[in-house]
Amino acid sequence: MNNSSARGSMKSGFCVFVMFVGLTIVPVLANDADPLQDFCVAQPSTILLNGLICKDPSAVNASDFAFHGLGKPGSTSNEAGSAVTPAFAAQFPALNTLGLSMARLDFAPGGLVTLHTHPRATEVLYLAEGTLHVGFVDAANTLFAQTLQKGDLFIFPKGLLHFQINVGKVPALAIAALNSQNPGVQLIPNALFGSGISNAVLEKAFSIGKKKVESLKSKFNS
C-alpha cells in the first residue's frame, strides 16, 4: 500500500469513527426520547415502563390536549408559604412522549419553595407577579442568585440544587417550564432527614449531635 492509499484509508477510518461518536453521543445528550408518532396521550395502566402507555388514537379528541389545572391558585396556607401545581404527564396525559411539562408556583409573602433538584430536567422560570429571590448552586459550590421582578426569566440547569423565595410584601406567582414530561422533584431536607439515613451518618456529615438529628428527622420524616 502506497502512502496516498494509506492516508486515504486512515481518513476514511477517522470519518467512520467521528460518525460513530456522533451517533453515540447525541442520544446521551437528549432528555426524553423523541416520539415515534404524532402524539401518545397516556392512559392509566399498572404496567411500568420508561414513559406511559398510549391511549388508542381513535379514542383521542381535542379535549385531551387541553389542561385547565393552572388557572387556580394553590393554597399557601402551610409552613412553607408556597404551593406548586404540576402539569406533568401524570396530570396532563397529552404530554406523554413530548419531552416537556409545566408547573404553577404560588407564594405568600415570605413563602419558600425549598432547596430541591429536578434530576431529569432543566427548568426555566417566568415570574408573572411579585418579587422572587431565586438561585442555584453548581458542582463547584458556587451560588448563582438573582432577585426577579415581574416579567423576568431565570434558568435552573438540569439536576442542580435550587430554590425560590418571595422577598416582596405581596403574593407572587411564577410559571415554570421543564424539558421533561416527568422531571422528578427531590426535596433536599426530606431526602436527608426523611429517607432513613442513619443518625451516625447525619451526625458526622453535619457535625451535629444525636438530639438535633432526631429533631430534624421528626420534622421532615412526614
Side-chain angles (χ1 to χ4, degrees):
M1 179 182 296
N2 58 38
N3 290 340
S4 177
S5 298
R7 284 194 297 269
S9 178
M10 291 174 64
K11 184 176 181 180
S12 176
F14 178 75
C15 290
V16 171
F17 172 76
V18 170
M19 291 175 61
F20 172 78
V21 170
L23 291 172
T24 303
I25 290 177
V26 169
V28 172
L29 295 178
N31 258 39
D32 294 352
D34 286 337
L36 299 178
Q37 57 276 320
D38 289 342
F39 53 80
C40 174
V41 176
Q43 65 175 344
S45 174
T46 57
I47 299 174
L48 300 179
L49 44 78
N50 192 26
L52 300 170
I53 290 179
C54 302
K55 188 176 181 179
D56 185 337
S58 65
V60 172
N61 56 58
S63 65
D64 287 307
F65 299 97
F67 182 76
H68 308 287
L70 299 188
K72 183 180 178 181
S75 175
T76 57
S77 299
N78 52 60
E79 186 175 354
S82 66
V84 178
T85 306
F88 300 166
Q91 295 82 27
F92 189 8
L95 293 178
N96 189 39
T97 76
L98 298 184
L100 77 162
S101 59
M102 299 188 73
R104 173 182 176 135
L105 287 68
D106 290 283
F107 301 82
L112 169 72
V113 173
T114 193
L115 297 164
H116 65 284
T117 69
H118 301 296
R120 293 180 289 276
T122 292
E123 173 184 352
V124 58
L125 187 81
Y126 170 72
L127 183 56
E129 298 289 344
T131 305
L132 292 181
H133 184 67
V134 305
F136 67 86
V137 178
D138 71 5
N141 291 327
T142 301
L143 173 64
F144 297 85
Q146 285 275 294
T147 297
L148 307 182
Q149 306 295 336
K150 180 178 178 178
D152 289 344
L153 295 173
F154 196 83
I155 285 281
F156 304 102
K158 178 181 177 181
L160 296 186
L161 183 70
H162 61 282
F163 64 88
Q164 302 100 10
I165 186 169
N166 183 358
V167 294
K169 297 181 178 179
V170 298
L173 166 64
I175 301 296
L178 306 103
N179 63 340
S180 171
Q181 70 178 51
N182 182 25
V185 181
Q186 186 172 41
L187 303 177
I188 303 306
N190 302 72
L192 291 171
F193 297 101
S195 61
I197 296 174
S198 73
N199 284 10
V201 170
L202 295 171
E203 288 170 30
K204 193 169 185 66
F206 293 97
S207 298
I208 56 178
K210 181 178 179 181
K211 287 186 177 180
K212 185 62 176 177
V213 168
E214 290 178 345
S215 173
L216 289 167
K217 279 191 170 185
S218 67
K219 184 177 180 65
F220 294 106
N221 196 39
S222 59

